[in-house]
């Protein structure tokens, strides 16, 4: 399965974001969140689960797991836009034969 990189951008620098704060339906967080700009922008790896087709998925971050640099804890959750997980292999649903005469 390919790994995708998700990006979460906060209104101010935060600390404490971990994979335990992130819900990823039909996927696994495969790289812990990390920030290279002091805690405003965070990236993490998301790998879709195998053999799934689901057109209704959103990443969700529980903001109670984070705090700003002043120690104020986050409140509530935030969600991504909807995304599709399609890791199912194609299948053949029918085979038809047309009339054929040997000559």
């Amino acid at each position: 399965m390919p790994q995708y990189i998700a990006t979460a951008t906060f209104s101010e620098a935060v600390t404490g974001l971990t994979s335990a704060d992130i819900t990823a339906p039909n996927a696994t967080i495969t790289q812990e969140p990390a920030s290279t700009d002091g805690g405003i922008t965070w990236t993490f790896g998301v790998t879709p689960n195998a053999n799934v087709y689901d057109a209704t998925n959103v990443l969700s971050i529980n903001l109670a797991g984070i705090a700003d640099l002043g120690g104020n804890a986050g409140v509530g959750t935030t969600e991504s836009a909807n995304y599709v997980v399609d890791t199912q292999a194609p299948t053949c649903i029918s085979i038809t034969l047309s009339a054929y005469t040997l000559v």
Side-chain angles (χ1 to χ4, degrees):
M1 290 298 122
Q3 175 177 281
Y4 298 92
I5 300 298
T7 302
T9 305
F10 293 87
S11 60
E12 61 182 301
V14 299
T15 61
L17 182 64
T18 70
S19 60
D21 301 315
I22 303 167
T23 302
N26 296 306
T28 302
I29 304 303
T30 50
Q31 178 184 332
E32 280 294 318
S35 177
T36 59
D37 66 358
I40 294 175
T41 306
W42 293 74
T43 58
F44 52 94
V46 180
T47 301
N49 296 340
N51 201 29
V52 172
Y53 179 84
D54 190 333
T56 57
N57 301 278
V58 293
L59 294 174
S60 179
I61 296 177
N62 179 358
L63 299 175
I66 63 155
D68 67 12
L69 300 181
N72 301 304
V75 177
T77 60
T78 191
E79 294 182 341
S80 71
N82 186 68
Y83 64 94
V84 176
V85 173
D86 182 0
T87 55
Q88 285 184 328
T91 59
C92 179
I93 58 172
S94 70
I95 298 174
T96 59
L97 297 172
S98 57
Y100 181 75
T101 306
L102 292 175
V103 181

